[in-house]
Amino acid sequence: MQQVSAQGSAMDDFLDRLDYPMYVVTAVAGQQRAGCLVGFASQCSMVPVRFMVWLSTANRTYRVARSADVLAVHQLGRAQYDLAEHFGGLTGDDVDKFAGIRCHEGPAGTVLLDDAPAWFVGRVEGHLEGGDHVGFLLSPLEASDAQLPLPGGELFRLSDSEGIEAGHPVQDA
């Protein structure tokens, strides 16, 4: 058995095999709105249904989301690289990520992306510290009818994000 260290190759090998779905999460608090591309997210309970999204503490979306009552989570299709790059490669500290993006106000004042094939809005039930990310536990309030087929036929995944440089790169501890 190989020991795992901060730079352990066994853990790196394990993580390199993952190819999870990516989402765009949007948040509104007061007059502020933000959004980012998120890779760390998953359903975490069946009854009641709960979903956890993890936001980088370096990210403006995290700073807005921690004051938000609800978040919107959007699925993207494999062919929506440009939309993923927009929300993943820019920082809301420098630009309005919603300028030029087709969107509208959704339930509880959220921002919904018109070009996302599916979304849900969830009430923030709690937070969980997780290193350089904080988890937001969401209780679904409303979900869209999914547009099928997805643009590109499948969900946008981590492997599809190759070439997107994070607007706020992760800092080494």
Side-chain angles (χ1 to χ4, degrees):
M1 182 177 349
Q2 191 172 9
Q3 292 288 328
V4 176
S5 67
Q7 292 104 17
S9 65
M11 190 64 193
D12 290 342
D13 291 344
F14 181 90
L15 295 174
D16 286 346
R17 291 183 184 100
L18 301 179
D19 194 21
Y20 41 79
M22 305 281 287
Y23 306 90
V24 173
V25 173
T26 58
V28 175
Q31 298 301 309
Q32 296 185 68
R33 59 186 189 168
C36 65
L37 185 65
V38 172
F40 305 145
S42 178
Q43 181 179 348
C44 59
S45 175
M46 294 183 340
V47 179
V49 173
R50 295 290 183 265
F51 196 89
M52 181 74 87
V53 295
W54 295 87
L55 301 177
S56 169
T57 57
N59 193 313
R60 182 174 184 277
T61 303
Y62 163 74
R63 295 190 305 272
V64 174
R66 69 183 179 196
S67 297
D69 295 325
V70 298
L71 301 178
V73 180
H74 304 79
Q75 290 180 334
L76 301 179
R78 182 163 264 165
Q80 293 182 291
Y81 181 90
D82 290 346
L83 190 57
E85 182 178 40
H86 182 85
F87 280 94
L90 300 175
T91 172
D93 292 329
D94 298 335
V95 300
D96 175 359
K97 289 190 185 181
F98 299 97
I101 298 296
R102 294 175 359 104
C103 60
H104 65 278
E105 185 175 323
T110 58
V111 178
L112 298 177
L113 306 179
D114 293 346
D115 293 326
W119 53 262
F120 84 90
V121 172
R123 181 178 48 252
V124 178
E125 297 292 342
H127 303 94
L128 180 63
E129 300 290 326
D132 61 4
H133 283 64
V134 170
F136 289 73
L137 181 63
L138 303 178
S139 173
L141 298 174
E142 189 170 332
S144 67
D145 292 328
Q147 299 170 18
L148 297 174
L150 292 168
E154 297 180 29
L155 286 176
F156 188 87
R157 296 188 167 278
L158 176 63
S159 61
D160 299 318
S161 71
E162 188 172 328
I164 298 176
E165 292 190 35
H168 273 291
V170 175
Q171 303 295 319
D172 290 330

